[in-house]
Every structure is written in C-alpha cells, then in structure tokens.
Amino acid sequence: MPANPPPLNEAGRLAKDLIDLGYNRSQVAGMIGRDASTISQIFTKGGGKGKAYIGALQQVLRAVRGGERDLDALAAIAQQNITDRRTRSGQKARVRGKNIVGELGKSSTGTAGRQAILSGASHLADVIHETAKVNGRVAVTVRMKSDEFVHSAGSRKDSPGLRRGVVPRADGTEERSYGSTVTGGFDAREWSRRVADQRGDVTAAVLAWLVETGRARPGAEILWLQVRGWVPRPNKRKGGRR
C-alpha cells in the first residue's frame, strides 16, 4: 500500500470490517465475484472505487454479524444484492442493489444458511422490518427434511395458489416457497410483529408460523431460509366494470 493511502471510502470500510472479522481479501473479493486485486484497489484508490459493491457488502456484513460463516452462503447473499445495468458503452456494470424495497416493483432479499439459522438469522429481520415500514409484502422460502412437512409437495393446503412442483433434493430435503408476487405475499407488518415476538429470531418466527398453520411438524428444523420483501404495484383495472 502507498505510504499515505487515501481515507477509506464506504466500500473500503465495509471490506475492512469483514477482514477484521476474520476473512482475507481473497475471500471478501470472492463474495462479490471478483478477485483480491479489486479489494486492494478499493483500499488504495479511495474515491468512488467499489461503490457498485456497497449494497452487497452491507448485506454480507450484516449476515456475518448475524452468525453466518459459510462462504458459499455469503456469496449468494452478495449476488442477490448486485444487479446488472448498462454502461454508456452498452456493457454490463455492477450497481448497488440495496435499499430499494420502497420502490414499486423492486424487492429486497436476504438468505440464511445453516450457521446463521442456528443463531436466529437475525440479519433477515431487517428485510422484514424495513418492508413493514412501507406497508409492503413478504415471502419466505424454507428448506427442511421432506418428512418434516405435513402436506405433500404442491398441495393446495400447503401453499394455496402456488402451483409448482417441488423436486426432492438428493439429501432428502425440499425447498418450499410461501407467498409470492403472484399470490400477493404476506403482510409485512404482521411478520414484523411475529419476529418482534420472537425477539428478532427470524428462524423461530418462521418455524412457529409453519407449525401454527399446519405446514410443518412440531420439532421440525429449518436448514435454509430466504426472506423477500417488496411493495406491490397498484392494480390497474381496465374499464369501469369488475
């Protein structure tokens, strides 16, 4: 590094926080799909370098502080918060994908792997609470052992209105989604209260809902969890009659 490096910008501060938590430059770079030289440039060039990765690094840091440690899970979280745009030359470029839940039709997504789930996946609470502030909707996707679901895959009792096949995984688990833009999702304010009742433990809140609604057996264990929040676009009716 130069003798007098420029002050760290926001991306640099986030990357440094991850390094201080035990990750090296290569690992941090891998989370955002780049190589270690990208992190070095963020540290040495300052200015707006790395601005495109701020949203992804924010979400990754939040997940790590929430208990997630798996590199693949952290990389997935980062990629879900990086979207593609076009540069002036027409090529794809990275842009910030965070803090868009208040925009119509946009969504914010958080994912938790096994380690974060064991500590409550508290970083996912922010997705729910922020969506609740703008009266949005939420959806959850869970992975559990197949025999811990009460209903068979695709059953209307399990997820009314969502007609999709669920393919059993080789490890004997299934992923099932509850709520979507098609079905309208769930009221984020209700889910915010559920999470608050569980003292920020999103894993416990989702599992309690699954058992309460007859979708999961008591004692079931969530192995992977995703939460998505969005503000739906207003319905546009054609003509004046229903």
Side-chain angles (χ1 to χ4, degrees):
M1 295 180 65
N4 296 302
L8 289 177
N9 58 20
E10 179 64 11
R13 285 192 291 271
L14 292 166
K16 183 179 183 299
D17 285 345
L18 287 168
I19 290 171
D20 289 344
L21 288 170
Y23 296 96
N24 60 41
R25 292 190 184 191
S26 294
Q27 290 172 325
V28 174
M31 295 171 191
I32 58 174
R34 307 294 289 180
D35 57 37
S37 65
T38 299
I39 304 302
S40 295
Q41 291 176 39
I42 290 173
F43 285 153
T44 58
K45 293 187 177 181
K49 192 68 178 179
K51 184 178 180 181
Y53 309 110
I54 290 176
L57 291 171
Q58 285 176 330
Q59 287 293 74
V60 167
L61 184 60
R62 182 173 293 163
V64 170
R65 287 173 172 166
E68 186 61 81
R69 292 294 182 273
D70 182 77
L71 289 174
D72 289 339
L74 293 173
I77 291 170
Q79 293 307 310
Q80 289 164 351
N81 287 278
I82 296 176
T83 57
D84 291 326
R85 67 172 173 81
R86 296 288 176 176
T87 64
R88 291 180 180 178
S89 64
Q91 295 180 331
K92 286 185 177 180
R94 304 267 189 172
V95 297
R96 180 173 176 171
K98 176 64 178 154
N99 297 330
I100 59 174
V101 71
E103 299 179 29
L104 294 180
K106 301 291 186 178
S107 64
S108 178
T109 302
T111 303
R114 186 65 176 270
Q115 290 176 303
I117 284 173
L118 292 175
S119 60
S122 58
H123 63 286
L124 299 184
D126 289 333
V127 175
I128 296 173
H129 294 321
E130 291 301 315
T131 306
K133 289 179 182 178
V134 291
N135 298 328
R137 312 293 289 181
V138 296
V140 298
T141 299
V142 300
R143 182 186 302 159
M144 299 194 307
K145 291 182 179 179
S146 301
D147 59 5
E148 292 182 340
F149 289 101
V150 172
H151 304 292
S152 61
S155 169
R156 287 190 179 276
K157 293 181 180 179
D158 184 73
S159 188
L162 185 62
R163 305 301 296 164
R164 68 175 180 82
V166 180
V167 180
R169 297 164 60 90
D171 60 2
T173 64
E174 290 180 0
E175 274 181 28
R176 299 193 186 183
S177 296
Y178 301 98
S180 69
T181 53
V182 176
T183 62
F186 304 113
D187 186 344
R189 292 169 297 182
E190 176 190 346
W191 275 87
S192 181
R193 289 191 292 269
R194 286 179 174 274
V195 171
D197 288 344
Q198 296 291 343
R199 299 183 179 181
D201 189 325
V202 179
T203 307
V206 173
L207 187 56
W209 177 82
L210 289 169
V211 173
E212 173 189 319
T213 57
R215 291 175 166 88
R217 304 185 190 282
E221 180 184 10
I222 294 176
L223 303 175
W224 182 87
L225 177 63
Q226 181 183 83
V227 174
R228 186 167 67 90
W230 74 95
V231 177
R233 297 180 185 277
N235 292 324
K236 294 182 178 180
R237 296 184 181 276
K238 294 183 179 180
R241 300 174 63 183
R242 292 187 178 184

